[in-house]
Amino acid sequence: EDQVTQSPEALRLQEGESSSLNCSYTVSGLRGLFWYRQDPGKGPEFLFTLYSAGEEKEKERLKATLTKKESFLHITAPKPEDSATYLCAVLPANFGNEKLTFGTGTRLTIIP
Amino acid sequence: DAGVTQSPTHLIKTRGQHVTLRCSPISGHKSVSWYQQVLGQGPQFIFQYYEKEERGRGNFPDRFSARQFPNYSSELNVNALLLGDSALYLCASSLARENTIYFGEGSWLTVV
């Protein structure tokens, strides 16, 4: 069974203080690893899809990286508007369906 | 272009009642998936439909059912509601075999 574990559960940072969120996964063949941002009461907002070990993607202050067992979401010089829950999910390689398995998320708070 | 749209946004039902939630995918997307997100948890996969056929089903009881219409919109039906069905129900859409899956804002269901 596919599994995703995210750490830490919650993270409080001062504005400008860079850090990383971790996503460890086990999956029977990886088609893609997804990162989403979710604001309270809203649906997940797509950030990145990573496909293979060594791949990196960037968007503004966010950079996602992927290894064979985990992914990191690096946040550089965060601002208060980066406060949200960040979700990681894996999509298995069998093309029959598109079942995403999610972690429980990391709740990020950026303090001005 | 409009994103994934869901209705209603909020609803309150009584135990034992039935509920129907609706989803319109992004234009051109033929795959629709449903997820349940309980407070503090990541989304859990319920169903995936592609071209009106069920392609995947998560670990949910038979009280949960869904269908997809010729215009690719979808309905999620839940019968005999329980208090534990209270959650945010999310719809996601994607192009076939594309690895970008977009979510709607969700339908908040409260069962009392």
Side-chain angles (χ1 to χ4, degrees), chain B residues 25-56:
Chain B
I26 292 171
S27 177
H29 286 194
K30 298 181 179 181
S31 175
V32 171
S33 300
W34 289 94
Y35 290 78
Q36 180 196 67
Q37 187 176 23
V38 174
L39 205 60
Q41 300 294 315
Q44 296 288 317
F45 175 79
I46 308 175
F47 287 109
Q48 187 226 344
Y49 277 78
Y50 177 71
E51 290 277 16
K52 296 177 289 181
E53 290 187 1
E54 182 181 305
R55 290 293 185 90

PDB file of all heavy atoms in Angstrom, chain B residues 25-56:
ATOM      1  N   PRO B  25     -15.621  19.770 -14.147  1.00  0.00           N
ATOM      2  CA  PRO B  25     -14.159  19.798 -14.326  1.00  0.00           C
ATOM      3  C   PRO B  25     -13.718  20.971 -15.191  1.00  0.00           C
ATOM      4  O   PRO B  25     -14.543  21.653 -15.795  1.00  0.00           O
ATOM      5  CB  PRO B  25     -13.879  18.468 -15.027  1.00  0.00           C
ATOM      6  CG  PRO B  25     -15.128  18.192 -15.799  1.00  0.00           C
ATOM      7  CD  PRO B  25     -16.252  18.725 -14.944  1.00  0.00           C
ATOM      8  N   ILE B  26     -12.420  21.190 -15.211  1.00  0.00           N
ATOM      9  CA  ILE B  26     -11.848  22.180 -16.121  1.00  0.00           C
ATOM     10  C   ILE B  26     -12.189  21.770 -17.559  1.00  0.00           C
ATOM     11  O   ILE B  26     -12.175  20.571 -17.884  1.00  0.00           O
ATOM     12  CB  ILE B  26     -10.331  22.266 -15.914  1.00  0.00           C
ATOM     13  CG1 ILE B  26     -10.027  22.857 -14.535  1.00  0.00           C
ATOM     14  CG2 ILE B  26      -9.657  23.087 -17.008  1.00  0.00           C
ATOM     15  CD1 ILE B  26      -8.569  22.795 -14.121  1.00  0.00           C
ATOM     16  N   SER B  27     -12.487  22.760 -18.392  1.00  0.00           N
ATOM     17  CA  SER B  27     -12.859  22.474 -19.770  1.00  0.00           C
ATOM     18  C   SER B  27     -11.794  21.619 -20.460  1.00  0.00           C
ATOM     19  O   SER B  27     -10.597  21.936 -20.422  1.00  0.00           O
ATOM     20  CB  SER B  27     -13.031  23.794 -20.528  1.00  0.00           C
ATOM     21  OG  SER B  27     -13.330  23.557 -21.878  1.00  0.00           O
ATOM     22  N   GLY B  28     -12.244  20.527 -21.052  1.00  0.00           N
ATOM     23  CA  GLY B  28     -11.324  19.634 -21.746  1.00  0.00           C
ATOM     24  C   GLY B  28     -10.819  18.483 -20.901  1.00  0.00           C
ATOM     25  O   GLY B  28     -10.257  17.514 -21.434  1.00  0.00           O
ATOM     26  N   HIS B  29     -11.011  18.546 -19.594  1.00  0.00           N
ATOM     27  CA  HIS B  29     -10.581  17.460 -18.712  1.00  0.00           C
ATOM     28  C   HIS B  29     -11.648  16.375 -18.676  1.00  0.00           C
ATOM     29  O   HIS B  29     -12.818  16.646 -18.412  1.00  0.00           O
ATOM     30  CB  HIS B  29     -10.334  17.979 -17.288  1.00  0.00           C
ATOM     31  CG  HIS B  29      -9.097  18.773 -17.144  1.00  0.00           C
ATOM     32  ND1 HIS B  29      -8.553  19.093 -15.916  1.00  0.00           N
ATOM     33  CD2 HIS B  29      -8.274  19.327 -18.069  1.00  0.00           C
ATOM     34  CE1 HIS B  29      -7.450  19.795 -16.092  1.00  0.00           C
ATOM     35  NE2 HIS B  29      -7.269  19.965 -17.393  1.00  0.00           N
ATOM     36  N   LYS B  30     -11.214  15.137 -18.919  1.00  0.00           N
ATOM     37  CA  LYS B  30     -12.163  14.031 -18.972  1.00  0.00           C
ATOM     38  C   LYS B  30     -12.133  13.162 -17.720  1.00  0.00           C
ATOM     39  O   LYS B  30     -12.972  12.294 -17.546  1.00  0.00           O
ATOM     40  CB  LYS B  30     -11.868  13.175 -20.200  1.00  0.00           C
ATOM     41  CG  LYS B  30     -12.017  13.918 -21.521  1.00  0.00           C
ATOM     42  CD  LYS B  30     -11.743  13.017 -22.697  1.00  0.00           C
ATOM     43  CE  LYS B  30     -11.911  13.780 -24.012  1.00  0.00           C
ATOM     44  NZ  LYS B  30     -11.664  12.907 -25.185  1.00  0.00           N
ATOM     45  N   SER B  31     -11.143  13.370 -16.872  1.00  0.00           N
ATOM     46  CA  SER B  31     -11.017  12.571 -15.659  1.00  0.00           C
ATOM     47  C   SER B  31     -11.443  13.389 -14.454  1.00  0.00           C
ATOM     48  O   SER B  31     -11.010  14.539 -14.286  1.00  0.00           O
ATOM     49  CB  SER B  31      -9.563  12.112 -15.486  1.00  0.00           C
ATOM     50  OG  SER B  31      -9.413  11.426 -14.261  1.00  0.00           O
ATOM     51  N   VAL B  32     -12.301  12.804 -13.628  1.00  0.00           N
ATOM     52  CA  VAL B  32     -12.773  13.452 -12.411  1.00  0.00           C
ATOM     53  C   VAL B  32     -12.579  12.483 -11.249  1.00  0.00           C
ATOM     54  O   VAL B  32     -12.904  11.295 -11.364  1.00  0.00           O
ATOM     55  CB  VAL B  32     -14.262  13.838 -12.528  1.00  0.00           C
ATOM     56  CG1 VAL B  32     -14.787  14.297 -11.170  1.00  0.00           C
ATOM     57  CG2 VAL B  32     -14.445  14.944 -13.550  1.00  0.00           C
ATOM     58  N   SER B  33     -12.045  13.006 -10.156  1.00  0.00           N
ATOM     59  CA  SER B  33     -11.864  12.204  -8.952  1.00  0.00           C
ATOM     60  C   SER B  33     -12.507  12.912  -7.773  1.00  0.00           C
ATOM     61  O   SER B  33     -12.626  14.139  -7.765  1.00  0.00           O
ATOM     62  CB  SER B  33     -10.375  11.989  -8.655  1.00  0.00           C
ATOM     63  OG  SER B  33      -9.737  11.318  -9.712  1.00  0.00           O
ATOM     64  N   TRP B  34     -12.914  12.123  -6.775  1.00  0.00           N
ATOM     65  CA  TRP B  34     -13.504  12.646  -5.540  1.00  0.00           C
ATOM     66  C   TRP B  34     -12.643  12.240  -4.356  1.00  0.00           C
ATOM     67  O   TRP B  34     -12.147  11.096  -4.296  1.00  0.00           O
ATOM     68  CB  TRP B  34     -14.919  12.116  -5.343  1.00  0.00           C
ATOM     69  CG  TRP B  34     -15.930  12.686  -6.283  1.00  0.00           C
ATOM     70  CD1 TRP B  34     -16.337  12.168  -7.474  1.00  0.00           C
ATOM     71  CD2 TRP B  34     -16.668  13.906  -6.092  1.00  0.00           C
ATOM     72  NE1 TRP B  34     -17.282  12.988  -8.044  1.00  0.00           N
ATOM     73  CE2 TRP B  34     -17.514  14.056  -7.214  1.00  0.00           C
ATOM     74  CE3 TRP B  34     -16.706  14.876  -5.086  1.00  0.00           C
ATOM     75  CZ2 TRP B  34     -18.381  15.134  -7.360  1.00  0.00           C
ATOM     76  CZ3 TRP B  34     -17.567  15.947  -5.235  1.00  0.00           C
ATOM     77  CH2 TRP B  34     -18.389  16.077  -6.360  1.00  0.00           C
ATOM     78  N   TYR B  35     -12.489  13.181  -3.421  1.00  0.00           N
ATOM     79  CA  TYR B  35     -11.731  12.947  -2.207  1.00  0.00           C
ATOM     80  C   TYR B  35     -12.517  13.464  -1.011  1.00  0.00           C
ATOM     81  O   TYR B  35     -13.283  14.429  -1.128  1.00  0.00           O
ATOM     82  CB  TYR B  35     -10.385  13.690  -2.247  1.00  0.00           C
ATOM     83  CG  TYR B  35      -9.397  13.110  -3.239  1.00  0.00           C
ATOM     84  CD1 TYR B  35      -9.517  13.370  -4.601  1.00  0.00           C
ATOM     85  CD2 TYR B  35      -8.349  12.302  -2.813  1.00  0.00           C
ATOM     86  CE1 TYR B  35      -8.620  12.833  -5.516  1.00  0.00           C
ATOM     87  CE2 TYR B  35      -7.448  11.754  -3.705  1.00  0.00           C
ATOM     88  CZ  TYR B  35      -7.584  12.024  -5.052  1.00  0.00           C
ATOM     89  OH  TYR B  35      -6.698  11.489  -5.959  1.00  0.00           O
ATOM     90  N   GLN B  36     -12.293  12.824   0.141  1.00  0.00           N
ATOM     91  CA  GLN B  36     -12.853  13.278   1.403  1.00  0.00           C
ATOM     92  C   GLN B  36     -11.711  13.768   2.281  1.00  0.00           C
ATOM     93  O   GLN B  36     -10.706  13.067   2.436  1.00  0.00           O
ATOM     94  CB  GLN B  36     -13.586  12.128   2.116  1.00  0.00           C
ATOM     95  CG  GLN B  36     -14.193  12.527   3.454  1.00  0.00           C
ATOM     96  CD  GLN B  36     -14.570  11.320   4.298  1.00  0.00           C
ATOM     97  OE1 GLN B  36     -13.715  10.571   4.750  1.00  0.00           O
ATOM     98  NE2 GLN B  36     -15.869  11.138   4.528  1.00  0.00           N
ATOM     99  N   GLN B  37     -11.855  14.968   2.847  1.00  0.00           N
ATOM    100  CA  GLN B  37     -10.826  15.481   3.749  1.00  0.00           C
ATOM    101  C   GLN B  37     -11.447  15.836   5.090  1.00  0.00           C
ATOM    102  O   GLN B  37     -12.239  16.771   5.201  1.00  0.00           O
ATOM    103  CB  GLN B  37     -10.131  16.705   3.157  1.00  0.00           C
ATOM    104  CG  GLN B  37      -8.931  17.166   3.986  1.00  0.00           C
ATOM    105  CD  GLN B  37      -8.177  18.318   3.360  1.00  0.00           C
ATOM    106  OE1 GLN B  37      -8.722  19.060   2.552  1.00  0.00           O
ATOM    107  NE2 GLN B  37      -6.910  18.476   3.729  1.00  0.00           N
ATOM    108  N   VAL B  38     -11.071  15.069   6.084  1.00  0.00           N
ATOM    109  CA  VAL B  38     -11.483  15.326   7.449  1.00  0.00           C
ATOM    110  C   VAL B  38     -10.503  16.333   8.053  1.00  0.00           C
ATOM    111  O   VAL B  38      -9.318  16.333   7.704  1.00  0.00           O
ATOM    112  CB  VAL B  38     -11.494  14.013   8.250  1.00  0.00           C
ATOM    113  CG1 VAL B  38     -11.785  14.263   9.706  1.00  0.00           C
ATOM    114  CG2 VAL B  38     -12.492  13.032   7.660  1.00  0.00           C
ATOM    115  N   LEU B  39     -10.995  17.153   8.961  1.00  0.00           N
ATOM    116  CA  LEU B  39     -10.176  18.218   9.548  1.00  0.00           C
ATOM    117  C   LEU B  39      -8.871  17.664  10.118  1.00  0.00           C
ATOM    118  O   LEU B  39      -8.872  16.695  10.868  1.00  0.00           O
ATOM    119  CB  LEU B  39     -10.983  18.901  10.656  1.00  0.00           C
ATOM    120  CG  LEU B  39     -10.599  20.343  10.994  1.00  0.00           C
ATOM    121  CD1 LEU B  39     -10.769  21.228   9.784  1.00  0.00           C
ATOM    122  CD2 LEU B  39     -11.427  20.855  12.161  1.00  0.00           C
ATOM    123  N   GLY B  40      -7.760  18.267   9.705  1.00  0.00           N
ATOM    124  CA  GLY B  40      -6.458  17.875  10.218  1.00  0.00           C
ATOM    125  C   GLY B  40      -5.808  16.726   9.485  1.00  0.00           C
ATOM    126  O   GLY B  40      -4.700  16.313   9.840  1.00  0.00           O
ATOM    127  N   GLN B  41      -6.490  16.193   8.461  1.00  0.00           N
ATOM    128  CA  GLN B  41      -5.953  15.070   7.692  1.00  0.00           C
ATOM    129  C   GLN B  41      -5.764  15.455   6.225  1.00  0.00           C
ATOM    130  O   GLN B  41      -6.289  16.464   5.763  1.00  0.00           O
ATOM    131  CB  GLN B  41      -6.901  13.873   7.774  1.00  0.00           C
ATOM    132  CG  GLN B  41      -7.130  13.363   9.185  1.00  0.00           C
ATOM    133  CD  GLN B  41      -5.869  12.786   9.796  1.00  0.00           C
ATOM    134  OE1 GLN B  41      -5.139  12.026   9.152  1.00  0.00           O
ATOM    135  NE2 GLN B  41      -5.588  13.151  11.042  1.00  0.00           N
ATOM    136  N   GLY B  42      -5.006  14.635   5.510  1.00  0.00           N
ATOM    137  CA  GLY B  42      -4.905  14.825   4.082  1.00  0.00           C
ATOM    138  C   GLY B  42      -6.132  14.245   3.383  1.00  0.00           C
ATOM    139  O   GLY B  42      -6.849  13.428   3.959  1.00  0.00           O
ATOM    140  N   PRO B  43      -6.392  14.664   2.158  1.00  0.00           N
ATOM    141  CA  PRO B  43      -7.534  14.109   1.406  1.00  0.00           C
ATOM    142  C   PRO B  43      -7.404  12.603   1.208  1.00  0.00           C
ATOM    143  O   PRO B  43      -6.304  12.095   0.981  1.00  0.00           O
ATOM    144  CB  PRO B  43      -7.465  14.859   0.069  1.00  0.00           C
ATOM    145  CG  PRO B  43      -6.716  16.126   0.362  1.00  0.00           C
ATOM    146  CD  PRO B  43      -5.717  15.749   1.416  1.00  0.00           C
ATOM    147  N   GLN B  44      -8.551  11.910   1.274  1.00  0.00           N
ATOM    148  CA  GLN B  44      -8.618  10.464   1.053  1.00  0.00           C
ATOM    149  C   GLN B  44      -9.404  10.195  -0.229  1.00  0.00           C
ATOM    150  O   GLN B  44     -10.513  10.704  -0.409  1.00  0.00           O
ATOM    151  CB  GLN B  44      -9.311   9.780   2.230  1.00  0.00           C
ATOM    152  CG  GLN B  44      -8.566   9.910   3.546  1.00  0.00           C
ATOM    153  CD  GLN B  44      -7.308   9.076   3.592  1.00  0.00           C
ATOM    154  OE1 GLN B  44      -7.292   7.922   3.168  1.00  0.00           O
ATOM    155  NE2 GLN B  44      -6.233   9.662   4.109  1.00  0.00           N
ATOM    156  N   PHE B  45      -8.838   9.362  -1.081  1.00  0.00           N
ATOM    157  CA  PHE B  45      -9.438   9.044  -2.378  1.00  0.00           C
ATOM    158  C   PHE B  45     -10.737   8.266  -2.202  1.00  0.00           C
ATOM    159  O   PHE B  45     -10.778   7.269  -1.477  1.00  0.00           O
ATOM    160  CB  PHE B  45      -8.429   8.236  -3.193  1.00  0.00           C
ATOM    161  CG  PHE B  45      -8.919   7.728  -4.513  1.00  0.00           C
ATOM    162  CD1 PHE B  45      -8.980   8.557  -5.608  1.00  0.00           C
ATOM    163  CD2 PHE B  45      -9.312   6.401  -4.654  1.00  0.00           C
ATOM    164  CE1 PHE B  45      -9.414   8.079  -6.837  1.00  0.00           C
ATOM    165  CE2 PHE B  45      -9.744   5.916  -5.874  1.00  0.00           C
ATOM    166  CZ  PHE B  45      -9.805   6.755  -6.968  1.00  0.00           C
ATOM    167  N   ILE B  46     -11.785   8.724  -2.944  1.00  0.00           N
ATOM    168  CA  ILE B  46     -13.063   8.008  -2.905  1.00  0.00           C
ATOM    169  C   ILE B  46     -13.313   7.304  -4.240  1.00  0.00           C
ATOM    170  O   ILE B  46     -13.537   6.091  -4.289  1.00  0.00           O
ATOM    171  CB  ILE B  46     -14.247   8.960  -2.613  1.00  0.00           C
ATOM    172  CG1 ILE B  46     -13.993   9.811  -1.370  1.00  0.00           C
ATOM    173  CG2 ILE B  46     -15.526   8.125  -2.411  1.00  0.00           C
ATOM    174  CD1 ILE B  46     -15.092  10.848  -1.108  1.00  0.00           C
ATOM    175  N   PHE B  47     -13.318   8.075  -5.336  1.00  0.00           N
ATOM    176  CA  PHE B  47     -13.612   7.537  -6.665  1.00  0.00           C
ATOM    177  C   PHE B  47     -12.800   8.273  -7.723  1.00  0.00           C
ATOM    178  O   PHE B  47     -12.434   9.431  -7.541  1.00  0.00           O
ATOM    179  CB  PHE B  47     -15.082   7.765  -7.070  1.00  0.00           C
ATOM    180  CG  PHE B  47     -16.086   6.917  -6.383  1.00  0.00           C
ATOM    181  CD1 PHE B  47     -16.945   7.462  -5.447  1.00  0.00           C
ATOM    182  CD2 PHE B  47     -16.209   5.579  -6.689  1.00  0.00           C
ATOM    183  CE1 PHE B  47     -17.894   6.685  -4.818  1.00  0.00           C
ATOM    184  CE2 PHE B  47     -17.155   4.788  -6.071  1.00  0.00           C
ATOM    185  CZ  PHE B  47     -17.997   5.351  -5.122  1.00  0.00           C
ATOM    186  N   GLN B  48     -12.574   7.595  -8.844  1.00  0.00           N
ATOM    187  CA  GLN B  48     -12.134   8.268 -10.044  1.00  0.00           C
ATOM    188  C   GLN B  48     -12.975   7.799 -11.224  1.00  0.00           C
ATOM    189  O   GLN B  48     -13.238   6.592 -11.351  1.00  0.00           O
ATOM    190  CB  GLN B  48     -10.660   8.027 -10.362  1.00  0.00           C
ATOM    191  CG  GLN B  48     -10.162   8.863 -11.529  1.00  0.00           C
ATOM    192  CD  GLN B  48      -9.334   8.102 -12.542  1.00  0.00           C
ATOM    193  OE1 GLN B  48      -8.870   7.007 -12.257  1.00  0.00           O
ATOM    194  NE2 GLN B  48      -9.144   8.665 -13.723  1.00  0.00           N
ATOM    195  N   TYR B  49     -13.388   8.718 -12.086  1.00  0.00           N
ATOM    196  CA  TYR B  49     -14.130   8.417 -13.299  1.00  0.00           C
ATOM    197  C   TYR B  49     -13.401   9.003 -14.500  1.00  0.00           C
ATOM    198  O   TYR B  49     -12.836  10.102 -14.438  1.00  0.00           O
ATOM    199  CB  TYR B  49     -15.545   8.994 -13.243  1.00  0.00           C
ATOM    200  CG  TYR B  49     -16.502   8.110 -12.492  1.00  0.00           C
ATOM    201  CD1 TYR B  49     -16.510   8.079 -11.106  1.00  0.00           C
ATOM    202  CD2 TYR B  49     -17.387   7.277 -13.165  1.00  0.00           C
ATOM    203  CE1 TYR B  49     -17.358   7.246 -10.410  1.00  0.00           C
ATOM    204  CE2 TYR B  49     -18.250   6.448 -12.478  1.00  0.00           C
ATOM    205  CZ  TYR B  49     -18.228   6.438 -11.101  1.00  0.00           C
ATOM    206  OH  TYR B  49     -19.078   5.608 -10.419  1.00  0.00           O
ATOM    207  N   TYR B  50     -13.421   8.228 -15.568  1.00  0.00           N
ATOM    208  CA  TYR B  50     -12.857   8.683 -16.830  1.00  0.00           C
ATOM    209  C   TYR B  50     -13.763   8.227 -17.945  1.00  0.00           C
ATOM    210  O   TYR B  50     -14.087   7.037 -18.026  1.00  0.00           O
ATOM    211  CB  TYR B  50     -11.446   8.133 -17.027  1.00  0.00           C
ATOM    212  CG  TYR B  50     -10.839   8.519 -18.354  1.00  0.00           C
ATOM    213  CD1 TYR B  50     -10.450   9.823 -18.600  1.00  0.00           C
ATOM    214  CD2 TYR B  50     -10.699   7.588 -19.387  1.00  0.00           C
ATOM    215  CE1 TYR B  50      -9.922  10.200 -19.830  1.00  0.00           C
ATOM    216  CE2 TYR B  50     -10.173   7.942 -20.611  1.00  0.00           C
ATOM    217  CZ  TYR B  50      -9.791   9.250 -20.825  1.00  0.00           C
ATOM    218  OH  TYR B  50      -9.279   9.613 -22.048  1.00  0.00           O
ATOM    219  N   GLU B  51     -14.183   9.156 -18.774  1.00  0.00           N
ATOM    220  CA  GLU B  51     -15.097   8.831 -19.875  1.00  0.00           C
ATOM    221  C   GLU B  51     -16.305   8.034 -19.369  1.00  0.00           C
ATOM    222  O   GLU B  51     -16.698   7.030 -19.962  1.00  0.00           O
ATOM    223  CB  GLU B  51     -14.362   8.055 -20.970  1.00  0.00           C
ATOM    224  CG  GLU B  51     -13.354   8.881 -21.734  1.00  0.00           C
ATOM    225  CD  GLU B  51     -13.994   9.709 -22.849  1.00  0.00           C
ATOM    226  OE1 GLU B  51     -15.237   9.884 -22.846  1.00  0.00           O
ATOM    227  OE2 GLU B  51     -13.265  10.208 -23.713  1.00  0.00           O
ATOM    228  N   LYS B  52     -16.849   8.486 -18.260  1.00  0.00           N
ATOM    229  CA  LYS B  52     -18.073   7.940 -17.651  1.00  0.00           C
ATOM    230  C   LYS B  52     -17.906   6.560 -17.028  1.00  0.00           C
ATOM    231  O   LYS B  52     -18.880   5.984 -16.552  1.00  0.00           O
ATOM    232  CB  LYS B  52     -19.215   7.917 -18.671  1.00  0.00           C
ATOM    233  CG  LYS B  52     -19.637   9.290 -19.160  1.00  0.00           C
ATOM    234  CD  LYS B  52     -20.706   9.193 -20.214  1.00  0.00           C
ATOM    235  CE  LYS B  52     -20.135   8.648 -21.507  1.00  0.00           C
ATOM    236  NZ  LYS B  52     -21.162   8.550 -22.579  1.00  0.00           N
ATOM    237  N   GLU B  53     -16.686   6.060 -17.004  1.00  0.00           N
ATOM    238  CA  GLU B  53     -16.455   4.750 -16.404  1.00  0.00           C
ATOM    239  C   GLU B  53     -15.674   4.899 -15.101  1.00  0.00           C
ATOM    240  O   GLU B  53     -14.751   5.710 -15.002  1.00  0.00           O
ATOM    241  CB  GLU B  53     -15.667   3.850 -17.353  1.00  0.00           C
ATOM    242  CG  GLU B  53     -16.455   3.417 -18.571  1.00  0.00           C
ATOM    243  CD  GLU B  53     -15.709   2.397 -19.392  1.00  0.00           C
ATOM    244  OE1 GLU B  53     -14.581   2.011 -18.990  1.00  0.00           O
ATOM    245  OE2 GLU B  53     -16.225   1.978 -20.429  1.00  0.00           O
ATOM    246  N   GLU B  54     -16.037   4.097 -14.114  1.00  0.00           N
ATOM    247  CA  GLU B  54     -15.310   4.103 -12.851  1.00  0.00           C
ATOM    248  C   GLU B  54     -13.954   3.454 -13.073  1.00  0.00           C
ATOM    249  O   GLU B  54     -13.853   2.306 -13.500  1.00  0.00           O
ATOM    250  CB  GLU B  54     -16.087   3.342 -11.776  1.00  0.00           C
ATOM    251  CG  GLU B  54     -15.403   3.348 -10.414  1.00  0.00           C
ATOM    252  CD  GLU B  54     -16.197   2.571  -9.373  1.00  0.00           C
ATOM    253  OE1 GLU B  54     -17.377   2.872  -9.173  1.00  0.00           O
ATOM    254  OE2 GLU B  54     -15.609   1.640  -8.779  1.00  0.00           O
ATOM    255  N   ARG B  55     -12.898   4.176 -12.711  1.00  0.00           N
ATOM    256  CA  ARG B  55     -11.538   3.670 -12.893  1.00  0.00           C
ATOM    257  C   ARG B  55     -10.871   3.316 -11.565  1.00  0.00           C
ATOM    258  O   ARG B  55      -9.858   2.628 -11.546  1.00  0.00           O
ATOM    259  CB  ARG B  55     -10.672   4.702 -13.613  1.00  0.00           C
ATOM    260  CG  ARG B  55     -11.013   4.906 -15.060  1.00  0.00           C
ATOM    261  CD  ARG B  55     -10.688   3.668 -15.882  1.00  0.00           C
ATOM    262  NE  ARG B  55     -10.901   3.856 -17.298  1.00  0.00           N
ATOM    263  CZ  ARG B  55      -9.985   4.298 -18.131  1.00  0.00           C
ATOM    264  NH1 ARG B  55      -8.780   4.620 -17.683  1.00  0.00           N
ATOM    265  NH2 ARG B  55     -10.252   4.434 -19.413  1.00  0.00           N
ATOM    266  N   GLY B  56     -11.413   3.813 -10.487  1.00  0.00           N
ATOM    267  CA  GLY B  56     -10.809   3.516  -9.194  1.00  0.00           C
ATOM    268  C   GLY B  56     -11.785   3.814  -8.077  1.00  0.00           C
ATOM    269  O   GLY B  56     -12.657   4.678  -8.205  1.00  0.00           O
TER     270      GLY B  56
END
